């Protein structure tokens, strides 16, 4: 099984109805897609699972599209009562994911907090992540943990937390659950003082998902904010061709998605942003020696039309 050329709408700062997003994925020759499981759960509760997943299943059957994963939507910096309530909502979400055969979920750790100093907060976060991982493990779902390196995220906070690759690696390894791994975002990797040698030490089993993004050419990684990310270039502070080559060499078969801040492409259509991401990813894959599927000639017509937005 090969790695998934994945379309992650949220990673490109776009949204839309499920059918619209599936059509974008297929039109631009992605063979995987991240889905909004919270919307899927709401749909299934209004009707049933078969009805909620009918567009997704149509795309799977007709075009063999795979599911990359889904964001848990958990705020790990919440107080105990709120966190407990959030975890309770994960049970039906994870059950639905299992029923749909989805095997990856994502969460990001806080960059800073007002709650506790680093070492005490480290213990709180590892305990919370292990609790989430255990909940997902019984549904055979892997947890991909990411971090956020944007400098604006620590503003107004008393205690910095995971802001660099060194701390990120230490935290993920400290969780210790067999179904836990890294959600690698190459923008955060670079802004978080990471290098290729650290990434090269990770095995395929330790990586859950990968997102490729680049820093704006005029930006300084020492002061970069989250909105200074653009679709990935081949070279730069981290060589994306080398990243993909390494993933191929270690046998990684998970999702690889292009990412960018919506602020970098303000005023552009969803189609043009997705196309930018697709072209950037295809160029990197091709330079790494991978065969890239050609774009379909016609618009996708085999997915049922979804007439009304979901409220």
């Amino acid at each position: 099984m090969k790695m998934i050329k994945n379309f992650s709408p949220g990673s490109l700062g776009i949204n839309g109805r499920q059918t619209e997003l599936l059509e974008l994925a297929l039109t631009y020759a992605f063979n995987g897609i991240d889905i909004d499981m919270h919307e899927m759960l709401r749909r299934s509760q209004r009707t049933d699972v078969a009805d909620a997943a009918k567009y997704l299943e149509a795309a799977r059957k007709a075009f063999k599209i795979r599911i990359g994963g889904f964001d848990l939507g958990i705020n790990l910096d919440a107080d105990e009562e709120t966190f407990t309530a959030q975890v309770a909502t994960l049970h039906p979400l994870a059950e639905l994911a299992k029923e749909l055969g989805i095997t990856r979920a994502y969460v990001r750790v806080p960059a800073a907090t007002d709650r506790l100093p680093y070492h005490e907060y480290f213990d709180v976060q590892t305990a919370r992540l292990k609790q989430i991982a255990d909940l997902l493990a019984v549904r055979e779902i892997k947890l991909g943990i990411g971090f956020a390196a944007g400098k604006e995220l620590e503003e107004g906070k008393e205690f910095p937390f995971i802001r660099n690759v060194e701390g990120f690696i230490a935290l993920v390894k400290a969780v210790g659950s067999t179904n836990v791994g890294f959600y690698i975002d190459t923008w955060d990797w670079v802004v978080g003082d990471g290098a290729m040698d650290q990434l090269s030490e990770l095995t395929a089993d330790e990586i859950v998902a990968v997102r490729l993004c680049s820093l704006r050419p005029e930006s300084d990684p020492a002061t970069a904010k989250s909105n200074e990310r653009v679709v990935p270039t081949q070279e730069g502070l981290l060589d994306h061709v080398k990243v993909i080559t390494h993933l191929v060499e270690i046998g990684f078969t998970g999702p690889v998605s292009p990412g960018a801040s919506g602020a970098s492409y303000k005023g552009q259509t969803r189609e043009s942003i997705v196309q930018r991401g697709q072209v950037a990813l295809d160029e990197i894959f091709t330079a790494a020696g991978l065969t890239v599927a050609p774009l379909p000639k016609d618009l996708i017509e085999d997915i049922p039309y979804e007439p009304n937005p979901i409220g």
Side-chain angles (χ1 to χ4, degrees):
M1 187 177 291
K2 298 179 181 179
M3 72 175 73
I4 304 169
K5 176 187 167 185
N6 194 60
F7 171 45
S8 176
S11 295
L12 289 169
I14 65 174
N15 54 43
R17 293 180 297 189
Q18 190 180 96
T19 47
E20 294 171 338
L21 298 175
L22 282 166
E23 184 168 333
L24 283 169
L26 296 167
T27 300
Y28 291 99
F30 289 93
N31 63 356
I33 185 170
D34 286 348
I35 65 170
D36 184 343
M37 277 299 300
H38 296 273
E39 179 200 355
M40 189 73 77
L41 181 61
R42 288 191 295 270
R43 284 171 174 263
S44 70
Q45 291 170 337
R46 280 196 294 267
T47 53
D48 55 40
V49 174
D51 184 69
K54 62 185 177 184
Y55 307 118
L56 182 62
E57 292 305 321
R60 277 175 155 177
K61 184 176 180 180
F63 304 101
K64 311 299 182 188
I65 195 163
R66 296 158 66 188
I67 305 302
F70 65 98
D71 194 294
L72 290 175
I74 288 282
N75 175 16
L76 289 169
D77 192 40
D79 59 50
E80 288 299 329
E81 183 179 353
T82 304
F83 177 71
T84 300
Q86 289 182 118
V87 171
T89 68
L90 289 186
H91 288 276
L93 200 72
E95 278 298 319
L96 179 58
K98 180 183 179 182
E99 190 168 347
L100 296 175
I102 301 171
T103 59
R104 300 175 192 85
Y106 318 133
V107 70
R108 278 194 175 192
V109 294
T113 183
D114 290 324
R115 299 186 63 220
L116 291 166
Y118 188 97
H119 294 292
E120 295 174 60
Y121 198 56
F122 189 96
D123 292 339
V124 169
Q125 290 301 311
T126 53
R128 288 186 170 189
L129 289 165
K130 182 169 176 53
Q131 183 179 351
I132 293 169
D134 290 347
L135 184 156
L136 296 175
V138 297
R139 281 92 174 182
E140 300 180 332
I141 299 171
K142 296 190 72 171
L143 176 61
I145 301 172
F147 81 109
K151 297 302 186 285
E152 82 284 0
L153 297 173
E154 66 180 9
E155 293 174 2
K157 296 289 185 179
E158 186 174 359
F159 306 111
F161 190 51
I162 301 299
R163 295 297 320 286
N164 56 48
V165 167
E166 184 179 356
F168 174 49
I169 291 174
L171 179 72
V172 175
K173 290 185 178 293
V175 177
S177 302
T178 56
N179 66 319
V180 160
F182 296 87
Y183 186 123
I184 295 173
D185 181 305
T186 56
W187 188 93
D188 292 308
W189 200 267
V190 166
V191 175
D193 301 322
M196 189 67 208
D197 59 346
Q198 293 160 301
L199 198 155
S200 297
E201 293 174 358
L202 302 180
T203 66
D205 287 341
E206 292 177 309
I207 302 173
V208 175
V210 177
R211 180 164 64 191
L212 305 185
C213 312
S214 287
L215 190 65
R216 289 180 186 171
E218 68 274 16
S219 297
D220 179 357
T223 59
K225 296 184 178 181
S226 300
N227 61 2
E228 297 177 50
R229 62 174 71 218
V230 294
V231 296
T233 56
Q234 292 188 40
E235 299 176 349
L237 297 173
L238 191 66
D239 188 321
H240 282 127
V241 176
K242 288 184 178 179
V243 171
I244 295 301
T245 300
H246 171 66
L247 294 176
V248 171
E249 289 173 348
I250 64 176
F252 176 69
T253 58
V256 178
S257 312
S261 166
S264 296
Y265 304 103
K266 189 173 294 186
Q268 296 192 23
T269 64
R270 289 185 307 183
E271 288 77 5
S272 66
I273 295 171
V274 176
Q275 184 180 37
R276 280 178 177 269
Q278 168 258 313
V279 169
L281 201 61
D282 282 0
E283 289 177 348
I284 292 166
F285 277 21
T286 300
L290 299 179
T291 301
V292 175
L295 299 185
K297 294 180 181 178
D298 303 309
L299 289 176
I300 308 306
E301 297 179 350
D302 291 0
I303 299 178
Y305 174 64
E306 183 181 8
N308 298 307
I310 300 300

